[in-house]
Amino acid sequence: MQRAADPDSSGVGQLAERLRERRAAVRRLRWRMVLAVVGSVLTVGVLGWVVFASPVLTVHPEDVQVSGTSSFVPEEEVLELAEVAHDQPVARVDTGALAEQITALAAVRDVQVRRAWPNGLTIAIEPRVPVAVVADGDQYAVLDADAVVVARDDAPVDGLAAVTVPLGEEAAADSLDAVLTVLAALPGELRTDVISAGAQTPYQVVLTLAGGAEVMWGSAVENDLKVEVLRTLLQEDAGRYDVSAPRSPITSE
């Protein structure tokens, strides 16, 4: 006599089969995750080596670009300082340290050093703008508007006014600041026409033009207005132009 199949035993078998399949799927998923993690680690490691250690992404001298140089900040001098980065991986260049070295140059006001992938650096310089020279012993000190000595020369620099300020007097620092502030406010074509600038006090700035005429500037205030007034007055020949009160200017022989 043949026994009928036990429905309960058939259901148990199907459940066991499903459990085995699920365990196998879980194992496969775990292996995939392990392989994915290992692959990611290897990829990151390779990329890290390429970026930080390999010769592929190193700084090439010809890819170091410099802007903002001047006669007082020669490009050659900046490039010489940047040689410390040559053949280094771009990612490992200490841009902050290089910027500090460049800023230490007397004629540099500020500088930005940035990485330029894949093999370069960009160095953007904000130079100090010379506005005057002042006799300093046997030499001439070139000054910017902040009275920072940009350079020294054995002779006066063409196109820069010679400052005549009584340095031994108590108000000398304030007078010098007033003179430099006025010179910095002058547009290029006027500034180069000034051969000397002085002040007995901060309120008595006087400019001497190349033709011999004097400009009574007064204090270093309302400089933009005084520039426009002086431009108008210079259309008329005179020995003295007084713009100390720019709304009531005066010319005289």
Side-chain angles (χ1 to χ4, degrees):
M1 180 175 177
Q2 190 174 10
R3 180 180 295 179
D6 188 347
D8 291 338
S9 64
S10 177
V12 170
Q14 292 177 358
L15 178 60
E17 181 64 24
R18 285 198 295 270
L19 287 174
R20 283 194 296 271
E21 291 175 354
R22 181 174 297 177
R23 291 192 187 102
V26 169
R27 285 194 297 270
R28 287 194 297 271
L29 179 59
R30 286 174 178 170
W31 274 111
R32 289 195 188 105
M33 292 178 63
V34 169
L35 291 174
V37 170
V38 171
S40 297
V41 170
L42 289 175
T43 300
V44 170
V46 171
L47 288 176
W49 178 80
V50 170
V51 172
F52 292 99
S54 82
V56 176
L57 300 177
T58 56
V59 175
H60 295 171
E62 64 272 17
D63 290 327
V64 177
Q65 304 297 321
V66 181
S67 62
T69 55
S70 68
S71 58
F72 295 100
V73 190
E75 182 177 342
E76 295 77 13
E77 190 170 6
V78 177
L79 289 174
E80 184 176 344
L81 291 174
E83 286 179 1
V84 68
H86 290 179
D87 300 323
Q88 280 194 35
V90 174
R92 290 173 56 187
V93 174
D94 190 339
T95 56
L98 179 55
E100 286 182 7
Q101 286 185 298
I102 297 172
T103 306
L105 298 176
V108 175
R109 177 182 293 277
D110 195 15
V111 64
Q112 297 291 329
V113 180
R114 294 187 174 89
R115 296 175 177 84
W117 300 97
N119 301 108
L121 297 172
T122 60
I123 302 173
I125 292 172
E126 180 188 347
R128 293 187 177 276
V129 179
V131 296
V133 295
V134 60
D136 185 17
D138 295 333
Q139 290 188 313
Y140 290 86
V142 180
L143 306 179
D144 75 345
D146 298 321
V148 172
V149 178
V150 173
R152 295 182 185 277
D153 207 310
D154 294 330
V157 179
D158 291 340
L160 295 181
V163 172
T164 56
V165 172
L167 298 179
E169 297 185 9
E170 185 175 349
D174 292 338
S175 297
L176 178 61
D177 181 65
V179 170
L180 295 178
T181 299
V182 170
L183 289 173
L186 296 178
E189 76 278 5
L190 283 180
R191 188 188 306 152
T192 55
D193 196 39
V194 177
I195 60 172
S196 68
Q200 291 296 320
T201 73
Y203 310 101
Q204 296 174 301
V205 176
V206 179
L207 311 177
T208 302
L209 304 182
E214 287 188 335
V215 178
M216 316 306 293
W217 197 273
S219 60
V221 297
E222 295 190 295
N223 291 322
D224 290 343
L225 176 59
K226 290 178 180 179
V227 165
E228 294 307 314
V229 172
L230 179 59
R231 276 177 164 158
T232 300
L233 295 182
L234 287 175
Q235 297 175 20
E236 176 182 332
D237 288 335
R240 175 175 293 185
Y241 304 92
D242 190 337
V243 295
S244 57
R247 293 170 182 79
S248 302
I250 299 172
T251 61
S252 58
E253 293 300 328

